[in-house]
Amino acid sequence: MKMTTMQRCMNYSVILLMTLVVMTPLVVGIYTSLLPTEDLIQGNIFSSNLSLGNYISAICETPIIRYFLNSLLISTLTMVGSVAVSALCAYPFAFIDFKGKKIVFALILATMMIPFEAIVIPNFITVKSMNLLNSYVGLIIPFLASGFGIFMLRQAFLQIPSDLYEEAQIEGLSHLQFFLKVVLPYSKVNIVVLASYTFLGSWNQYFCPMLATFTDTVRPVQIGLRQLQSTETSNDWGMIQASAVIIIIPTLLVLFLGQRHAKINNEGAVK
């Protein structure tokens, strides 16, 4: 059924409106990061004094780059570790029969119902007992196991035709070989989606790093950005806004590259 001209106009109008709603905060944030703090305080948002001075100040006068690199390291290792653990845990639930399989999987699903706030203190106590406070390892380990990740990849693995598994057994492939040569390539789109989700979740973490870090050497960007704000002296809001723009760059790249990679793989699967 072909759409009429009126329907097309309505669809494009809705898409344009949604685009404006999503993009306006980003555009305003980038624009205000180019304004001097004096103009921001005075509300002179249409000033012509646009410059990159705030970015130079943020990079040269604050440890924002250190925070940035800390978050990049933590988020990347968390992403890789979480995807690896989730894939390895999901495989037996999809291809191997063992006693208590349904019960164990139900318990994993039950962990998804526990509020995040309820596990913060137990995680903190565990990390503290292992003497991992104020360390990269202490910020990564609590997020390596993900009930959501196991569930998501298990559902993806179940979409693999059973004939492939039977043929792999006939060919004499071990579980590890089948996992590496068939399962992972076949589920590439789902793995990319989970990796993107995990990276963004780790990058935006605030509460746990706030409890577990004490120095700038391991402090991630979300906590570091808060450290740039002072309650006792006037804030350099232009510089803070420039810092905020800097730290959203990886999230935009992950969203763009993840979406592009998923689209390419979907098109390849269709062909």
Side-chain angles (χ1 to χ4, degrees):
M1 181 178 178
K2 294 183 178 180
M3 290 191 299
T4 63
T5 303
M6 180 61 70
Q7 289 176 324
R8 288 197 187 93
C9 290
M10 290 294 294
N11 288 341
Y12 286 127
S13 298
V14 172
I15 293 174
L16 179 60
L17 178 61
M18 295 176 65
T19 302
L20 290 174
V21 171
V22 173
M23 293 300 297
T24 297
L26 177 62
V27 174
V28 171
I30 295 175
Y31 174 74
T32 54
S33 70
L34 300 173
L35 293 174
T37 298
E38 294 77 12
D39 289 339
L40 292 175
I41 294 175
Q42 296 171 7
N44 186 16
I45 61 173
F46 298 107
S47 172
S48 59
N49 300 322
L50 302 179
S51 71
L52 297 176
N54 291 327
Y55 290 91
I56 296 174
S57 298
I59 294 173
C60 298
E61 300 176 12
T62 72
I64 189 65
I65 297 301
R66 176 72 187 192
Y67 300 148
F68 184 94
L69 295 177
N70 287 341
S71 277
L72 188 62
L73 176 63
I74 294 168
S75 299
T76 301
L77 293 180
T78 301
M79 175 189 69
V80 173
S82 180
V83 170
V85 171
S86 296
L88 290 171
C89 291
Y91 179 85
F93 288 113
F95 296 104
I96 301 175
D97 291 326
F98 56 90
K99 189 175 182 179
K101 175 179 176 179
K102 293 183 178 179
I103 296 176
V104 175
F105 188 67
L107 291 175
I108 291 176
L109 293 181
T111 63
M112 297 170 58
M113 305 177 190
I114 302 175
F116 174 76
E117 292 77 7
I119 63 175
V120 170
I121 300 303
N123 279 342
F124 175 79
I125 294 174
T126 301
V127 171
K128 182 180 179 181
S129 66
M130 298 172 66
N131 294 321
L132 295 176
L133 290 179
N134 204 46
S135 68
Y136 294 124
V137 177
L139 295 173
I140 295 171
I141 286 181
F143 303 101
L144 291 182
S146 168
F148 170 77
I150 296 172
F151 170 74
M152 178 181 175
L153 292 186
R154 181 253 189 185
Q155 297 304 110
F157 294 168
L158 288 176
Q159 302 303 313
I160 298 176
S162 58
D163 293 343
L164 290 178
Y165 182 64
E166 294 173 359
E167 291 176 6
Q169 289 182 313
I170 295 174
E171 292 293 331
L173 294 180
S174 65
H175 282 294
L176 181 59
Q177 290 174 321
F178 179 69
F179 174 75
L180 295 176
K181 295 181 178 180
V182 179
V183 175
L184 293 186
Y186 195 92
S187 307
K188 191 179 297 183
V189 173
N190 302 86
I191 291 174
V192 170
V193 172
L194 179 60
S196 301
Y197 174 84
T198 304
F199 183 92
L200 294 175
S202 178
W203 185 272
N204 292 321
Q205 276 287 339
Y206 180 82
F207 195 38
C208 286
M210 181 182 66
L211 295 176
T213 59
F214 318 124
T215 64
D216 289 342
T217 54
V218 295
R219 189 169 280 148
V221 290
Q222 306 301 336
I223 307 303
L225 186 62
R226 180 64 183 87
Q227 295 297 313
L228 299 181
Q229 302 178 34
S230 172
T231 58
E232 299 178 358
T233 61
S234 59
N235 291 307
D236 189 344
W237 292 111
M239 183 188 67
I240 293 174
Q241 186 60 43
S243 301
V245 172
I246 291 173
I247 68 175
I248 67 172
I249 293 175
T251 62
L252 296 178
L253 290 176
V254 168
L255 288 173
F256 174 76
L257 295 176
Q259 183 182 28
R260 184 173 181 272
H261 190 77
K263 181 179 179 181
I264 291 175
N265 280 280
N266 274 328
E267 291 176 348
V270 171
K271 292 179 181 179

